[in-house]
Amino acid sequence: MSKRDYYEILGVQKNASEADLKKSFRRLAMKYHPDRNPDNAEAEAKFKEAKEAYEILNDPQKRAAYDQFGHAGVDPSTGGFSRGGGAQGGFGDIFEDIFGDIFGGARGGRGSGGANRAYRGSDLQYNLELTLEEAVFGTTTDIRVPSMQTCDTCNGSGAKPGTHPQTCPTCHGNGQVRIQQGFFAIQQTCPHCHGTGKIISDPCPDCHGQGRKEKQKTLSVRIPAGVDNGDRVRLAGEGEAGVNGGPAGDLYVQVFVKAHALFQRDGDNLYCEVPIRFTTAALGGELEVPTLDGNKISLKIPAETQTGKQFRLRSKGVKSVRSATVGDLICKVEVETPVNLTKRQRELLEELDVSMHAGGKKHSPQEHGWLDKAKDFVKDLFEGEK
């Protein structure tokens, strides 16, 4: 039976790079490997076919011979290359590289840098609640943060003072062990030392062999003016301590702004609702409106102001931490209906009501405009049913 083309088997073009070959073979190996397909003869055959194709095409000399003479150029029975050598080293080295990726072996983790590799400590997050004033104008506050820090008793070694960690006898300090599985070998984390390469027979009584211990530390945090919900302040090196002398992680202080009694923030602008008497809305007047910095500003209400009208006070809002300009304070007036009326007040309102009815649309154009639209709607509805 004639053999299939090696490039066709791997699903690559003839000009495929070494990286393309490896990527394609890894995909096929993951799909057809016997360990993933037990008792599946077809999958096993496809795996062996892909393995043979990759072995030839990954070797520059064998690949050149195959490109020129086809299968005859690499078939030992016809004088072609034997499978024992090649410029790329032994076949086991090639597959150790690939299957290390597939099965989580030597590539990555502790094994890539040795058992005693230094690791950066974890980053931490602290949620800080601020008032709107603190967020807008900035503040400095102290926070207490629990984190894993280097143990003072053992100086991070994990061993009892006066003793030292011993080299792991299983992996000989490498942190990984080599496991032979059929025709290839993979590396896995040492089950004895869990990848550290060390055995602590007499652990530190304070950190119990971890080399780190949870501690509370107090930090002073400066919050810049203009921060908003979700903003973060980074404190470099204030996270958890590193492992094996690695650098500490960072602490991120995330801002949450509490609701304010008067103001709501949207970007650089502040909003507030201002209730006014209906007489002020009708006749006009002047109000004093507080600003976030504790001052007051005069707000002129023109006559015949309707509820919901907004007044913009320039540069009385927020200067964001990301902006060079100051936003505005936007006041929305809400006309308040009077309550708890005296007899005389009720009489005056009734007289006003009679007078306004006599004026028709002149005094309440919105009301009459709405009533006219409602009448037209009902009229059209009935005419459409006829």
Side-chain angles (χ1 to χ4, degrees), residues 164-199:
H164 300 282
Q166 302 299 312
T167 300
C168 175
T170 302
C171 66
H172 306 291
N174 292 319
Q176 293 196 338
V177 292
R178 189 181 184 92
I179 299 176
Q180 191 77 26
Q181 292 187 356
F183 62 88
F184 64 90
I186 63 173
Q187 285 184 311
Q188 294 181 345
T189 300
C190 176
H192 193 191
C193 66
H194 305 291
T196 65
K198 299 178 294 184
I199 296 296

Short mmCIF file of all heavy atoms in Angstrom, two decimals, residues 164-199:
data_model
loop_
_atom_site.label_atom_id
_atom_site.label_comp_id
_atom_site.label_asym_id
_atom_site.label_seq_id
_atom_site.Cartn_x
_atom_site.Cartn_y
_atom_site.Cartn_z
N HIS A 164 18.54 23.54 58.16
CA HIS A 164 18.45 23.98 56.77
C HIS A 164 17.64 22.96 55.97
O HIS A 164 17.67 21.76 56.27
CB HIS A 164 19.84 24.12 56.15
CG HIS A 164 20.71 25.11 56.84
ND1 HIS A 164 20.59 26.47 56.66
CD2 HIS A 164 21.72 24.93 57.74
CE1 HIS A 164 21.49 27.10 57.41
NE2 HIS A 164 22.19 26.19 58.08
N PRO A 165 16.94 23.40 54.94
CA PRO A 165 16.25 22.46 54.06
C PRO A 165 17.25 21.54 53.38
O PRO A 165 18.37 21.94 53.05
CB PRO A 165 15.55 23.37 53.03
CG PRO A 165 15.47 24.72 53.69
CD PRO A 165 16.69 24.81 54.55
N GLN A 166 16.84 20.30 53.15
CA GLN A 166 17.70 19.32 52.51
C GLN A 166 17.27 19.11 51.05
O GLN A 166 16.10 19.29 50.70
CB GLN A 166 17.62 17.98 53.26
CG GLN A 166 18.00 18.08 54.73
CD GLN A 166 19.42 18.55 54.93
OE1 GLN A 166 20.35 18.03 54.29
NE2 GLN A 166 19.62 19.52 55.82
N THR A 167 18.24 18.74 50.22
CA THR A 167 17.92 18.46 48.82
C THR A 167 17.01 17.25 48.72
O THR A 167 17.24 16.23 49.38
CB THR A 167 19.21 18.21 48.02
OG1 THR A 167 20.04 19.37 48.10
CG2 THR A 167 18.91 17.91 46.57
N CYS A 168 15.98 17.36 47.91
CA CYS A 168 15.02 16.26 47.75
C CYS A 168 15.72 15.04 47.16
O CYS A 168 16.36 15.14 46.10
CB CYS A 168 13.88 16.70 46.84
SG CYS A 168 12.70 15.38 46.46
N PRO A 169 15.64 13.88 47.80
CA PRO A 169 16.31 12.68 47.28
C PRO A 169 15.61 12.10 46.06
O PRO A 169 16.22 11.32 45.31
CB PRO A 169 16.24 11.71 48.46
CG PRO A 169 15.02 12.13 49.23
CD PRO A 169 14.95 13.62 49.09
N THR A 170 14.37 12.45 45.84
CA THR A 170 13.63 11.89 44.70
C THR A 170 14.02 12.56 43.39
O THR A 170 14.29 11.90 42.39
CB THR A 170 12.12 12.01 44.93
OG1 THR A 170 11.77 11.35 46.15
CG2 THR A 170 11.34 11.41 43.78
N CYS A 171 14.03 13.90 43.38
CA CYS A 171 14.33 14.64 42.15
C CYS A 171 15.72 15.25 42.16
O CYS A 171 16.11 15.93 41.20
CB CYS A 171 13.29 15.74 41.92
SG CYS A 171 13.32 17.06 43.18
N HIS A 172 16.45 15.05 43.27
CA HIS A 172 17.81 15.56 43.41
C HIS A 172 17.87 17.08 43.26
O HIS A 172 18.80 17.63 42.69
CB HIS A 172 18.75 14.90 42.39
CG HIS A 172 18.73 13.40 42.44
ND1 HIS A 172 19.24 12.68 43.52
CD2 HIS A 172 18.21 12.49 41.57
CE1 HIS A 172 19.06 11.39 43.29
NE2 HIS A 172 18.43 11.23 42.13
N GLY A 173 16.84 17.74 43.75
CA GLY A 173 16.83 19.20 43.76
C GLY A 173 16.28 19.85 42.51
O GLY A 173 16.22 21.08 42.42
N ASN A 174 15.88 19.04 41.52
CA ASN A 174 15.38 19.61 40.27
C ASN A 174 13.93 20.06 40.35
O ASN A 174 13.48 20.88 39.56
CB ASN A 174 15.51 18.60 39.13
CG ASN A 174 16.95 18.33 38.78
OD1 ASN A 174 17.76 19.24 38.74
ND2 ASN A 174 17.28 17.06 38.54
N GLY A 175 13.18 19.50 41.28
CA GLY A 175 11.77 19.87 41.40
C GLY A 175 10.87 19.08 40.48
O GLY A 175 9.65 19.19 40.57
N GLN A 176 11.47 18.28 39.57
CA GLN A 176 10.68 17.49 38.63
C GLN A 176 11.31 16.11 38.48
O GLN A 176 12.50 15.92 38.71
CB GLN A 176 10.61 18.18 37.27
CG GLN A 176 9.82 19.48 37.30
CD GLN A 176 9.44 19.93 35.91
OE1 GLN A 176 10.07 19.54 34.93
NE2 GLN A 176 8.42 20.75 35.82
N VAL A 177 10.45 15.18 38.10
CA VAL A 177 10.92 13.81 37.84
C VAL A 177 10.56 13.45 36.40
O VAL A 177 9.59 13.94 35.83
CB VAL A 177 10.28 12.81 38.81
CG1 VAL A 177 10.79 13.03 40.22
CG2 VAL A 177 8.75 12.91 38.78
N ARG A 178 11.38 12.60 35.81
CA ARG A 178 11.20 12.18 34.43
C ARG A 178 10.47 10.84 34.41
O ARG A 178 10.86 9.90 35.09
CB ARG A 178 12.57 12.05 33.75
CG ARG A 178 12.53 11.82 32.25
CD ARG A 178 13.97 11.69 31.75
NE ARG A 178 14.04 11.56 30.30
CZ ARG A 178 14.18 12.57 29.46
NH1 ARG A 178 14.24 13.80 29.94
NH2 ARG A 178 14.24 12.37 28.17
N ILE A 179 9.42 10.78 33.64
CA ILE A 179 8.61 9.56 33.57
C ILE A 179 8.61 9.06 32.13
O ILE A 179 8.29 9.81 31.20
CB ILE A 179 7.16 9.83 34.04
CG1 ILE A 179 7.16 10.30 35.50
CG2 ILE A 179 6.31 8.58 33.89
CD1 ILE A 179 5.80 10.66 36.02
N GLN A 180 8.98 7.79 31.95
CA GLN A 180 9.01 7.19 30.63
C GLN A 180 7.65 6.55 30.35
O GLN A 180 7.14 5.76 31.14
CB GLN A 180 10.11 6.12 30.55
CG GLN A 180 10.39 5.62 29.15
CD GLN A 180 11.20 6.62 28.34
OE1 GLN A 180 11.94 7.40 28.93
NE2 GLN A 180 11.06 6.59 27.03
N GLN A 181 7.05 6.96 29.22
CA GLN A 181 5.76 6.39 28.82
C GLN A 181 5.89 5.92 27.38
O GLN A 181 5.75 6.71 26.44
CB GLN A 181 4.64 7.41 28.96
CG GLN A 181 4.34 7.80 30.41
CD GLN A 181 3.13 8.67 30.53
OE1 GLN A 181 2.53 9.06 29.53
NE2 GLN A 181 2.74 8.99 31.75
N GLY A 182 6.19 4.65 27.22
CA GLY A 182 6.32 4.12 25.87
C GLY A 182 7.56 4.67 25.19
O GLY A 182 8.67 4.62 25.70
N PHE A 183 7.37 5.26 24.01
CA PHE A 183 8.50 5.71 23.21
C PHE A 183 8.93 7.14 23.56
O PHE A 183 9.89 7.65 23.02
CB PHE A 183 8.15 5.65 21.72
CG PHE A 183 7.01 6.56 21.35
CD1 PHE A 183 7.24 7.88 21.00
CD2 PHE A 183 5.71 6.07 21.34
CE1 PHE A 183 6.20 8.69 20.66
CE2 PHE A 183 4.67 6.90 21.01
CZ PHE A 183 4.90 8.23 20.66
N PHE A 184 8.21 7.81 24.43
CA PHE A 184 8.61 9.17 24.78
C PHE A 184 8.62 9.33 26.30
O PHE A 184 8.08 8.51 27.04
CB PHE A 184 7.69 10.20 24.14
CG PHE A 184 6.27 10.13 24.61
CD1 PHE A 184 5.84 10.86 25.70
CD2 PHE A 184 5.34 9.32 23.95
CE1 PHE A 184 4.54 10.79 26.13
CE2 PHE A 184 4.03 9.24 24.38
CZ PHE A 184 3.63 9.99 25.48
N ALA A 185 9.26 10.42 26.73
CA ALA A 185 9.37 10.71 28.16
C ALA A 185 8.80 12.08 28.44
O ALA A 185 8.89 13.00 27.62
CB ALA A 185 10.83 10.65 28.61
N ILE A 186 8.20 12.23 29.60
CA ILE A 186 7.70 13.53 30.02
C ILE A 186 8.23 13.82 31.42
O ILE A 186 8.69 12.92 32.12
CB ILE A 186 6.15 13.58 30.03
CG1 ILE A 186 5.58 12.57 31.03
CG2 ILE A 186 5.59 13.36 28.64
CD1 ILE A 186 4.09 12.70 31.22
N GLN A 187 8.17 15.08 31.77
CA GLN A 187 8.59 15.49 33.10
C GLN A 187 7.38 16.00 33.87
O GLN A 187 6.52 16.69 33.31
CB GLN A 187 9.65 16.59 33.02
CG GLN A 187 11.02 16.07 32.61
CD GLN A 187 12.07 17.15 32.62
OE1 GLN A 187 11.87 18.22 32.08
NE2 GLN A 187 13.19 16.88 33.25
N GLN A 188 7.32 15.66 35.14
CA GLN A 188 6.22 16.08 36.00
C GLN A 188 6.78 16.62 37.31
O GLN A 188 7.91 16.33 37.69
CB GLN A 188 5.27 14.92 36.28
CG GLN A 188 4.53 14.42 35.05
CD GLN A 188 3.57 13.29 35.37
OE1 GLN A 188 3.64 12.70 36.44
NE2 GLN A 188 2.69 12.99 34.43
N THR A 189 5.95 17.41 37.98
CA THR A 189 6.35 17.95 39.28
C THR A 189 6.62 16.81 40.25
O THR A 189 5.86 15.84 40.34
CB THR A 189 5.24 18.85 39.85
OG1 THR A 189 5.01 19.92 38.94
CG2 THR A 189 5.63 19.42 41.20
N CYS A 190 7.71 16.93 40.97
CA CYS A 190 8.10 15.88 41.92
C CYS A 190 7.03 15.72 42.99
O CYS A 190 6.65 16.69 43.66
CB CYS A 190 9.44 16.24 42.57
SG CYS A 190 9.96 15.08 43.86
N PRO A 191 6.50 14.51 43.19
CA PRO A 191 5.44 14.32 44.17
C PRO A 191 5.94 14.38 45.61
O PRO A 191 5.15 14.51 46.54
CB PRO A 191 4.91 12.92 43.83
CG PRO A 191 6.07 12.21 43.22
CD PRO A 191 6.83 13.26 42.45
N HIS A 192 7.25 14.29 45.79
CA HIS A 192 7.83 14.27 47.14
C HIS A 192 8.02 15.69 47.69
O HIS A 192 7.60 15.99 48.80
CB HIS A 192 9.16 13.51 47.12
CG HIS A 192 9.66 13.16 48.49
ND1 HIS A 192 10.94 12.69 48.74
CD2 HIS A 192 9.05 13.22 49.71
CE1 HIS A 192 11.08 12.49 50.04
NE2 HIS A 192 9.95 12.80 50.64
N CYS A 193 8.62 16.57 46.87
CA CYS A 193 8.88 17.94 47.33
C CYS A 193 7.92 18.95 46.73
O CYS A 193 8.01 20.15 47.01
CB CYS A 193 10.31 18.35 47.00
SG CYS A 193 10.64 18.49 45.21
N HIS A 194 6.99 18.48 45.85
CA HIS A 194 5.99 19.34 45.21
C HIS A 194 6.63 20.46 44.40
O HIS A 194 6.12 21.58 44.33
CB HIS A 194 5.02 19.92 46.24
CG HIS A 194 4.35 18.88 47.09
ND1 HIS A 194 3.42 17.99 46.59
CD2 HIS A 194 4.52 18.56 48.41
CE1 HIS A 194 3.03 17.17 47.56
NE2 HIS A 194 3.68 17.50 48.68
N GLY A 195 7.77 20.15 43.79
CA GLY A 195 8.39 21.08 42.87
C GLY A 195 9.40 22.04 43.48
O GLY A 195 10.03 22.81 42.76
N THR A 196 9.58 22.01 44.80
CA THR A 196 10.52 22.94 45.43
C THR A 196 11.96 22.48 45.34
O THR A 196 12.88 23.28 45.43
CB THR A 196 10.17 23.15 46.91
OG1 THR A 196 10.35 21.92 47.63
CG2 THR A 196 8.72 23.62 47.07
N GLY A 197 12.18 21.17 45.16
CA GLY A 197 13.54 20.64 45.15
C GLY A 197 14.14 20.48 46.53
O GLY A 197 15.30 20.09 46.67
N LYS A 198 13.35 20.80 47.56
CA LYS A 198 13.86 20.76 48.94
C LYS A 198 12.89 20.00 49.84
O LYS A 198 11.69 20.01 49.61
CB LYS A 198 14.04 22.18 49.48
CG LYS A 198 15.03 23.04 48.70
CD LYS A 198 15.12 24.44 49.26
CE LYS A 198 13.82 25.21 49.10
NZ LYS A 198 13.92 26.60 49.56
N ILE A 199 13.46 19.40 50.85
CA ILE A 199 12.67 18.71 51.87
C ILE A 199 13.00 19.37 53.22
O ILE A 199 14.18 19.50 53.58
CB ILE A 199 12.99 17.21 51.93
CG1 ILE A 199 12.59 16.54 50.62
CG2 ILE A 199 12.27 16.55 53.11
CD1 ILE A 199 11.11 16.59 50.32
#
